[in-house]
């Protein structure tokens, strides 16, 4: 079994094809058993699309099937990028063996795993408290129905009392808030379920699918214990449990197709933008697909399959000209549809708009030759024959407390039997927990078709809506809301990446998205670009103050704000444009959402708006202090265009060199914000405004408590004062003294010894320093905490006016954001004795002419630590972007990449070595001014 879901001979099998072969078997298993027509009705449009939920011991895999297998062609597994066809499977570190912790007021599930040895506490091997222990303690896993294979000699049953004892010890901790063993265990289950719901939301909502129209197919040993509760939380109404659900991945192997693929690159036009019916590649396309099909068919025949058994699937990898987001499109079976129709439909659904004025390009031809594996017969309808007789009863804990519930053996059930929850159904290889308000029907095949009768779980006591009731912080809800808030910010980011058009945002992912309170305080910032963290909060707070000040018009529903000024409006540098949208509820601003994206050009004296020799801010591009990008529901294209072109009025300057990308990316940022608003409204509907608002503040307080605890711990070990100094290349010092109050955890970060601002562009506005510090503190805490305003609550900053880190309003700062920010992080980490300095710069490269500008950050080496080597060839600290792929770079720009690799041995020597830097060598083409094109340019990265 390959990761793409197809079978292949052993002698044609490579390791890179096997990364997800196990989970792929499960996808094939549920695709062929859960997505089936009913006997007598072959209309597949009536079949519910399926979400696969595969929960094992250490992780959970989720996927989607709607009659077609979704493939991806580049994935990152364990930090390694792999380019090979794989089924689109998303993994989250939450499984039966995920460990349970109480940390600084929050219930934490994973990512650490107890593993199979020693395993959870109930395995009797002195293991760790894990999700499985919670299920055992709550009666959802019954030891009597498990084999006696535990303990040192592997001859004992599951240890219920040992698991209860471990929870009892945890109950003594302050974070348990007086909970009983059962309440504590149930709280952990709710948090684990939310962690597993998060990738399912990402898989559906972010791609334009309605999650409530899907069926949840659960498998894996632990999946059926959680599936009904998760379906309720997700608003899903159907759950499918296969009779071999515990080993569905293995069962799927027996149903899999034999597959052979051929693919080759192309550079052809499918249709012209102004002529949708044009098809200039028709003849060539037919010939090339036929040739590939012939090769693929021949390969399967050589494997022993008969010619007549082989089916051919044709694909085109298509994209709009000028974009880089190609979509693999299968040839439609309907004669009324074309490749172009399918591509446009997919693009509209996923991105929410069309680019009808652009040509459609073909990047690849792909043929998939398939010999279909066994396919189960259509589902046979069964009539209900009533409720079966329970084998026994047991006590299990649900949302209303302990209940005595029936237990059924799957072997005793007959087609047509109906079971109402709460109940437990025992299979030989898994346990199915039927929640309250759920009903299971045994199908003709012996599978379980579960209907979730209730809507989403009861999440809010109606009394909490009363203004007179004080909402008290609950650690379980705190953990759940942390997942929900971060999930919303992440979905905003994925929307932005999908809908943007520029390489900077779509490919390099140089953007950040975040949620804010009504006064502009940061609540959740997805792990995008660290240098944006504190700066985005400053930008939102400035806009709130600016528009609500006396004499101004305020902020109205449907308006969208935009700014980028580093010194006056909380920006980081001018290319980073922040788009801010208020979230209204009953006519009142309740939250803000914002997205900040690096625009490849906004004018100035050099292409890319990152001039190496700028001496003042106006050299660096268009400046926006406060502007309403959308007003009265209308995108003000004329107004923002005038702003972006305004640098051209200054002698020696130029307006933006790529207005089309600017406008498209700004619209994408508006769309990303709108997705965040929609999800926040859903959250308010689910929990109530007062509770959502309260937990935004509780999460900020939690982050503050984590930072205070870290500062107190450091002061206890190292004293109240820490100091570090380092220097810029010109000798300008960055001097930091940290004074910590051991009792309160307050700290003063005093940069008074820092040198004066310079006549250049490496000055950094205060917001950049705030971002560098919040990133450093978040890294030093050593546990997963929310990225929000609370991280800086214990910190008082002293940054003298007109120093390098607090320059005048008109000072050049474009290099401060990308260079000085890295040096500030190095100094902070040096003060805390955390690790050696890294590359010290984001290593920016820009080139272009009057018609275009290109910008990227090049990787380098990370500093070593007290007991680890530094990573080589990575983006470190304040930058978290991808570098542009060579194929995209060469296709879109007049440049040829000659070399890109590690500069071996450049990280230095020592017991623990710094990471190696990189060499990126390229030749510039004819569109670049002659003075730039003399020979080959070499870029040697600043090394550790």
């Amino acid at each position: 079994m390959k990761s793409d879901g197809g079978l292949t001979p052993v002698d044609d099998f490579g390791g890179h094809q096997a990364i997800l072969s196990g989970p792929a078997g499960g996808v094939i298993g549920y695709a062929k058993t859960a997505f089936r027509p009913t006997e007598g009705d072959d209309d597949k449009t009536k079949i519910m699309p399926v979400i696969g939920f595969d929960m094992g011991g250490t992780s959970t895999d989720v996927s989607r099937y709607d009659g077609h297998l979704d493939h991806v062609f580049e994935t990152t597994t364990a930090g390694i990028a792999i380019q090979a066809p794989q089924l689109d499977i998303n993994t989250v570190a939450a499984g039966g063996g995920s460990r349970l912790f109480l940390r600084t007021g929050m219930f934490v599930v994973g990512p650490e795993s107890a593993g199979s040895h020693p395993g959870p506490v109930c395995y009797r091997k002195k293991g760790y408290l894990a999700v499985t222990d919670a299920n055992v303690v709550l009666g959802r896993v019954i030891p009597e129905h498990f084999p006696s294979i535990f303990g040192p000699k592997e001859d004992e049953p599951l240890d219920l009392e040992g698991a209860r004892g471990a929870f009892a010890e945890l109950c003594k901790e302050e974070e348990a808030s007086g909970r009983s063993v059962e309440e504590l265990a149930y709280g952990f289950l709710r948090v684990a379920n939310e962690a597993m719901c998060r990738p399912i939301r990402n898989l559906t909502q972010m791609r334009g699918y309605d999650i409530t129209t899907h069926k949840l197919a659960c498998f894996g040993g632990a999946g059926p214990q959680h599936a009904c509760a998760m379906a309720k939380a997700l608003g899903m109404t159907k759950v499918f449990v296969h009779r071999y659900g515990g080993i569905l991945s293995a069962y799927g192997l027996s149903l899999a197709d034999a597959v052979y693929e051929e693919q080759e690159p192309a550079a052809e036009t499918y249709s012209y933008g102004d002529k949708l019916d044009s098809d200039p590649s028709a003849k060539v396309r037919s010939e090339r697909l036929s040739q590939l099909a012939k090769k693929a068919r021949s390969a399967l025949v050589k494997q022993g399959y008969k010619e007549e058994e082989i089916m051919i699937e044709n694909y085109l990898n298509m994209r709009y000209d000028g974009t880089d987001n190609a979509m693999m499109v299968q040839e439609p079976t309907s004669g009324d549809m074309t490749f172009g129709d399918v591509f446009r439909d997919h693009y509209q659904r996923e991105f929410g708009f069309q680019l009808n004025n652009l040509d459609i390009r073909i990047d690849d031809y792909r043929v998939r030759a398939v010999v279909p594996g066994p396919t189960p017969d259509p589902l046979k309808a069964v009539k209900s024959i009533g409720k079966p007789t329970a084998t026994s009863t047991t006590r299990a804990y649900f949302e209303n407390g302990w209940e005595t519930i029936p237990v059924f053996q799957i072997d005793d059930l007959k087609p047509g039997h109906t079971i109402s929850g709460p109940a437990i159904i025992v299979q030989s290889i898994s346990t199915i927990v039927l929640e309250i308000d759920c009903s299971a029907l045994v199908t003709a095949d012996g599978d379980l078709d579960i209907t979730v009768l209730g809507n989403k779980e009861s999440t809010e006591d109606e009394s909490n809506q009363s203004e007179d009731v004080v909402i008290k912080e609950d650690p379980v809800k705190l953990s759940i809301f942390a997942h929900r808030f971060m999930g919303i910010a992440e979905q905003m980011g994925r929307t932005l990446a999908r809908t943007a058009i520029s390489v900077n945002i779509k490919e390099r992912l140089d953007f950040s998205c975040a949620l804010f309170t009504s006064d502009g305080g940061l609540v959740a910032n997805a792990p995008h670009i660290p240098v944006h963290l504190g700066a985005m909060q400053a930008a939102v707070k400035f806009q709130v103050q600016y528009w609500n000040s006396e004499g101004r018009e305020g902020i109205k529903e449907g308006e969208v704000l935009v700014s980028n000024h580093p010194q006056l409006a909380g920006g980081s540098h001018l290319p980073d444009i922040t788009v801010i949208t208020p979230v209204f509820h009953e006519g009142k601003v309740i939250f803000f959402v914002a997205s900040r994206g690096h625009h490849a050009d906004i004018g100035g004296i050099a292409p890319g708006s990152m001039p190496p020799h700028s001496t003042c801010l106006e050299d660096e591009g268009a400046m926006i202090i406060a502007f309403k990008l959308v007003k009265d529901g209308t995108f003000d294209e004329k107004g923002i265009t005038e702003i972006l072109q305004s640098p051209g009025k200054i002698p020696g300057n130029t307006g933006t060199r790529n207005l089309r990308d600017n406008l498209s990316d700004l619209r994408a940022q508006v769309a990303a914000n709108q997705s965040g608003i929609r999800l926040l409204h859903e959250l308010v509907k689910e929990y109530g405004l007062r509770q959502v608002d309260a937990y935004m503040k509780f999460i900020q307080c939690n982050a503050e408590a984590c930072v205070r605890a870290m500062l107190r711990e450091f002061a206890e070990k190292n004293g109240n004062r820490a100091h570090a100094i380092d220097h810029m290349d010109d000798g300008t010092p960055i001097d930091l003294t940290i004074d910590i109050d051991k009792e309160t955890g307050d700290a003063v970060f005093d940069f008074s010894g820092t040198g004066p601002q310079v006549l250049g562009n490496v000055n950094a506005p205060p917001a950049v320093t705030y971002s560098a510090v919040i990133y450093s503190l978040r890294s030093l805490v050593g546990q997963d905490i929310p990225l929000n305003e609370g991280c800086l609550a214990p910190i008082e900053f002293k940054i003298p006016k007109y120093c390098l880190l607090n320059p005048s309003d008109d000072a050049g700062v474009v290099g401060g954001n990308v260079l000085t920010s890295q040096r500030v992080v190095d100094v902070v980490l040096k003060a805390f004795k955390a690790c050696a300095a890294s590359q010290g710069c984001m290593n920016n490269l820009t080139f272009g002419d009057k018609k275009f500008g290109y910008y990227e950050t090049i990787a380098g080496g990370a500093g070593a630590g007290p007991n680890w080597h530094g990573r080589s060839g990575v983006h470190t600290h304040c930058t978290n972007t991808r570098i542009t792929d060579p194929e995209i770079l060469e296709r879109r720009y007049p440049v040829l990449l000659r070399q890109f690799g590690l500069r071996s041995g450049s990280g230095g020597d020592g017991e623990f070595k710094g990471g190696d830097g990189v060499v990126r060598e390229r030749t510039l083409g004819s569109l670049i001014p002659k003075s730039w094109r003399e020979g080959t340019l070499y870029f040697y990265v600043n090394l550790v």
Side-chain angles (χ1 to χ4, degrees), residues 64 66 68 70 88 203-210 214 327-328 341-354 495 498-499:
R64 181 182 181 274
D66 62 357
H68 301 280
D70 290 333
D88 191 2
L203 192 66
T204 52
Q205 293 173 339
M206 288 193 314
R207 299 183 181 180
Y209 299 114
D210 182 357
H214 289 65
M327 306 180 83
M328 190 66 72
D341 294 331
V342 177
F343 170 73
R344 294 184 192 98
D345 288 348
H346 285 359
Y347 202 94
Q348 177 69 42
R349 188 201 68 240
E350 186 154 342
F351 301 136
F353 61 90
Q354 293 282 1
T495 300
R498 292 197 329 265
T499 56

Side-chain angles (χ1 to χ4, degrees), residues 547 553-554 556-561 627-637:
W547 289 107
E553 59 192 81
K556 299 181 178 63
E557 190 166 5
E559 294 182 336
V560 180
L561 317 175
F627 180 73
K628 291 190 174 179
L629 184 63
V630 176
K631 193 172 183 179
D632 297 326
T634 301
F635 185 91
D636 190 354
E637 182 172 331

Side-chain angles (χ1 to χ4, degrees), residues 797-820:
F797 286 92
K798 291 184 179 180
I799 310 176
K801 186 64 178 173
Y802 305 121
C803 79
L804 186 73
L805 305 181
N806 191 4
S808 61
D809 298 344
D810 59 352
V813 298
V814 72
N817 183 68
V818 298
L819 193 157
T820 311

Side-chain angles (χ1 to χ4, degrees), residues 116-185:
S116 59
H117 181 81
V121 172
C122 61
Y123 281 17
R124 298 180 183 269
K125 295 181 180 179
K126 299 181 180 179
Y128 305 100
L129 201 60
V131 171
T132 298
D133 292 309
N135 279 312
V136 170
V137 164
L138 297 175
R140 292 162 172 255
V141 168
I142 306 173
E144 291 79 4
H145 292 282
F146 263 69
S148 295
I149 57 173
F150 305 99
K153 297 182 180 180
E154 299 182 349
D155 58 355
E156 299 179 76
L158 286 169
D159 186 4
L160 169 60
E161 292 306 316
R164 284 191 63 85
F167 274 110
E169 286 298 313
L170 205 59
C171 285
K172 298 175 183 178
E173 296 190 16
E174 182 180 349
E175 286 89 345
S177 304
R179 282 177 165 78
S180 66
V181 165
E182 295 81 9
E183 291 169 336
L184 194 67

Side-chain angles (χ1 to χ4, degrees), residues 687-931:
Y687 284 92
L689 175 59
R690 291 189 68 243
Q691 192 159 189
V692 174
D693 186 58
Y695 275 91
M696 281 191 169
K697 295 177 174 62
F698 291 152
I699 280 176
Q700 290 174 329
C701 293
N702 178 263
E704 177 184 346
C706 292
V707 171
R708 288 187 186 277
M710 182 276 293
L711 290 170
R712 286 195 296 265
E713 182 180 354
F714 177 83
E716 287 292 333
K717 294 179 180 179
N718 300 279
N720 288 21
R721 171 166 288 196
H723 176 263
I725 186 171
D726 211 331
H727 300 80
M728 305 291 286
D729 288 345
D730 64 357
T732 301
I734 298 177
D735 192 316
L736 171 62
T737 300
I738 304 173
D739 289 303
I740 303 172
D741 187 321
K742 287 184 180 180
E743 300 300 322
T744 65
D746 288 317
V748 177
F749 279 55
D750 188 351
F751 290 91
S752 294
T754 299
Q757 73 177 65
V758 298
L759 187 63
N761 60 26
V762 295
N763 306 293
V768 168
T769 298
Y770 302 154
S771 295
V773 171
I774 196 174
Y775 161 78
S776 300
L777 294 175
R778 167 66 182 77
S779 301
L780 290 165
V781 165
Q783 66 187 62
D784 189 13
I785 67 169
L787 293 165
N788 60 45
E789 181 183 37
C791 293
L792 289 185
I795 310 302
E796 176 188 346
F797 286 92
K798 291 184 179 180
I799 310 176
K801 186 64 178 173
Y802 305 121
C803 79
L804 186 73
L805 305 181
N806 191 4
S808 61
D809 298 344
D810 59 352
V813 298
V814 72
N817 183 68
V818 298
L819 193 157
T820 311
S821 63
Q822 300 283 68
R823 305 301 294 125
V824 173
V825 170
D826 286 339
V827 170
V828 173
L829 296 179
K830 181 179 181 180
F832 281 97
K833 304 176 182 178
C835 64
S838 293
Q839 55 187 289
C841 180
M842 296 184 192
N843 301 314
N844 303 270
L845 169 74
T846 64
F847 62 80
D849 61 10
K850 293 181 179 180
K851 297 180 181 179
F852 80 97
Y854 174 76
Y855 165 82
E856 71 179 11
T857 57
I858 305 173
N867 54 12
W868 73 83
H869 298 290
R871 289 289 299 275
S872 298
V874 294
H875 287 80
T876 59
H877 298 321
C878 285
T879 181
N880 190 33
T881 60
R882 290 180 55 175
I883 201 162
T884 309
D885 289 338
E887 294 82 1
I888 293 172
L889 178 69
E890 295 180 347
R891 185 174 65 212
R892 292 196 63 175
Y893 298 99
V895 64
L896 185 64
L897 188 63
R898 298 288 189 183
Q899 178 186 358
F900 182 42
L902 295 178
R903 193 178 182 196
S904 181
S906 60
D909 207 350
E911 182 179 358
F912 297 104
K913 301 177 181 179
D916 289 339
V918 301
V919 179
R920 192 162 169 90
E921 174 192 338
R922 68 196 86 200
T923 301
L924 299 174
S926 60
L927 293 182
I928 306 300
K930 184 177 179 181
S931 61

